[in-house]
Amino acid sequence: MAPRPLARVAVAGLAAVALLASAACGSGFDDNSEGTAQSSGPANLQILIGSSGDAETKAVQDAAAKWASASGNTATVTPAQDLTQQLGQGLAGGTPPDVFYVDAAQFADYASVGALEPYGDKISNTGDFYESLRTTFTYDGKFYCAPKDFSTLALEINTDLWAKAGLTDADVPTTWDQLTATAQKIKAKGQVPLALGDTRDRVGAFMVQNGGWLMSEDGKQPTADTPENLAALQYVKDLLTKGLAQYPKQLDAGWSGEAFGRGKAVMTIEGNWIKGALQNDFPNVKYKVVPLPAGAKGQGTLSFTQCWGIAAKSKYKEQAIKFVEAMTSGEQQMAFAQAFGVMPSRQSVRDQYVSAFPADKPFIDGAEYAQGPVNAPKMDSVLRDLEAGLQGLATGDPKTILANFDKNAKAALGG
């Protein structure tokens, strides 16, 4: 399974978002939420998902069939070949699916043009969703859509290589200083200490740990060029230039999990998707998961999530909301967790999840101090430019990278 947050949005997908934005100018997206005639009879819900594989597809189809049977509706679940492209075309063409996965990284693009029904507060017990996830799917003060599940980053340690480097549990790093010290010990034994992804989806965690982030909480102002973010990027740059961390391409790997699985690094920073990837590709690797080391301002990680979007143009909104209600019940979320390894977005089943998957506790604990993705529209090219800067961080200037982001983001947001 390709880890979702690693996926780069396809050019076709970006074109679809652009198509959606241009269509919004003339299609009355902003007022169609009220204007679409609603059907109160049995619904024929069309549901489009971005599936991680057969296990997820079957689990969602089974859950949808169960709901449909109990409610007297029908529900057709289709796994997308390219979710962003198909969804963009459906929304722009005025024939969207009723319910669909919306990735947090693209949520603001859809919400900003009125393509999504802001139904979030109509789901029961919304306070049970982790606050960081509710914030991620809030735009202009409205809670739009129920978080489906989530992932966070943690530190993975190859226990065999750890022992080979002469390290014990006392060396597990809980602060940046300890991370540096432990990495130096590993390097002295001739091993690569840390495989680190060269994207904002990994490096950004250090910003959060130092009390910084790229955007203001309301998504209106860029906040990259700050002393907190500068110190964080400088720390990562030092790790890279001193050989204490290496990017995947330096380790001849497509992503950090592959480098870690092949024994090219003792530690890596990845999300809970690494579990399935290692089971599939490197089943003999022994490892443990611990929280990310804290920075000057405390613990910090990044969260990756999707919500159940409902189209503003759906004629079955009431039934769609009931469908989402069923999909986000604690019982159903635990069934999904057992079927394809996702973490429930409801806090009420946290203890149940930890009991079933004790090794994943550091991931789910991260929900308490996680930062979601950049929550602003029209940011694709701005974020691509940031990624290019981060990929050259070892020889680049952190201050310039951050200042460029702020300048580009202000232009994209029209400020």
Side-chain angles (χ1 to χ4, degrees):
M1 158 181 153
R4 281 187 195 132
L6 280 179
R8 291 286 160 263
V9 180
V11 174
L14 291 174
V17 173
L19 181 69
L20 171 65
S22 63
C25 300
S27 71
F29 260 133
D30 289 325
D31 55 24
N32 67 17
S33 177
E34 299 300 324
T36 304
Q38 293 297 292
S39 173
S40 58
N44 176 17
L45 289 187
Q46 297 299 315
I47 297 133
L48 187 68
I49 68 170
S51 180
S52 59
D54 293 344
E56 180 167 358
T57 299
K58 182 178 188 308
V60 178
Q61 287 175 337
D62 288 351
K66 181 180 167 188
W67 172 81
S69 168
S71 65
N73 297 290
T74 58
T76 305
V77 176
T78 305
Q81 297 299 311
D82 181 329
L83 180 64
T84 310
Q85 182 183 25
Q86 287 170 243
L87 187 53
Q89 288 171 338
L91 289 166
T95 55
D98 300 285
V99 183
F100 42 86
Y101 287 7
V102 177
D103 192 88
Q106 285 154 357
F107 160 71
D109 280 311
Y110 295 130
S112 67
V113 296
L116 299 179
E117 177 71 11
Y119 72 88
D121 288 328
K122 294 179 180 172
I123 295 291
S124 60
N125 198 8
T126 55
D128 189 27
F129 294 118
Y130 289 99
E131 186 181 356
S132 58
L133 304 182
R134 290 201 313 274
T135 301
T136 294
F137 295 116
T138 297
Y139 184 79
D140 270 354
K142 287 183 189 169
F143 177 38
Y144 266 76
C145 50
K148 184 172 76 69
D149 46 52
F150 75 107
S151 314
T152 64
L153 300 176
L155 184 71
E156 291 80 30
I157 294 170
N158 181 314
T159 48
D160 287 341
L161 296 181
W162 190 259
K164 189 176 163 188
L167 301 175
T168 68
D169 284 352
D171 295 294
V172 172
T174 61
T175 66
W176 285 5
D177 287 347
Q178 290 172 5
L179 178 61
T180 301
T182 296
Q184 285 167 338
K185 290 180 188 175
I186 294 169
K187 189 185 174 209
K189 297 286 179 154
Q191 301 186 83
V192 175
L194 176 68
L196 177 66
D198 60 356
T199 71
R200 69 184 186 277
D201 287 343
R202 303 294 179 274
V203 176
F206 290 90
M207 297 183 190
V208 179
Q209 291 153 16
N210 210 40
W213 184 237
L214 296 165
M215 297 290 294
S216 61
E217 198 171 319
D218 65 4
K220 305 283 189 195
Q221 298 294 327
T223 57
D225 191 4
T226 65
E228 291 81 4
N229 288 330
L230 181 60
L233 284 198
Q234 191 58 58
Y235 176 72
V236 176
K237 178 172 178 169
D238 287 346
L239 291 179
L240 294 166
T241 55
K242 291 172 182 171
L244 303 179
Q246 291 192 28
Y247 283 158
K249 62 190 170 199
Q250 295 173 272
L251 299 169
D252 196 27
W255 66 293
S256 299
E258 181 192 347
F260 183 76
R262 287 163 61 189
K264 298 216 171 175
V266 178
M267 301 180 284
T268 192
I269 292 173
E270 282 296 333
N272 41 305
W273 52 80
I274 197 172
K275 179 169 67 171
L278 291 175
Q279 278 170 355
N280 289 338
D281 300 333
F282 307 100
N284 298 321
V285 171
K286 299 187 188 72
Y287 70 102
K288 68 176 178 180
V289 181
V290 299
L292 292 181
K297 298 292 169 67
Q299 287 185 286
T301 187
L302 302 180
S303 74
F304 307 92
T305 181
Q306 295 175 317
C307 76
W308 290 99
I310 294 177
K313 285 196 166 181
S314 170
K315 62 179 182 181
Y316 299 121
K317 287 178 203 166
E318 190 181 320
Q319 299 94 323
I321 291 168
K322 286 176 179 166
F323 172 80
V324 174
E325 180 89 50
M327 295 304 105
T328 56
S329 72
E331 182 185 1
Q332 185 59 60
Q333 290 201 339
M334 278 304 299
F336 286 153
Q338 298 280 3
F340 56 98
V342 291
M343 296 198 302
S345 59
R346 285 195 179 274
Q347 300 173 81
S348 55
V349 289
R350 178 194 172 281
D351 291 348
Q352 211 178 326
Y353 180 86
V354 171
S355 174
F357 305 101
D360 288 354
K361 186 174 184 290
F363 291 119
I364 206 158
D365 285 352
E368 299 300 329
Y369 48 84
Q371 168 67 54
V374 168
N375 191 1
K378 304 176 191 168
M379 295 294 284
D380 283 320
S381 63
V382 179
L383 292 168
R384 282 201 304 278
D385 189 68
L386 172 65
E387 304 279 80
L390 293 176
Q391 283 154 18
L393 180 59
T395 55
D397 175 37
K399 172 85 174 162
T400 303
I401 294 169
L402 296 168
N404 281 347
F405 177 88
D406 279 0
K407 182 183 72 175
N408 293 339
K410 276 180 185 158
L413 296 170

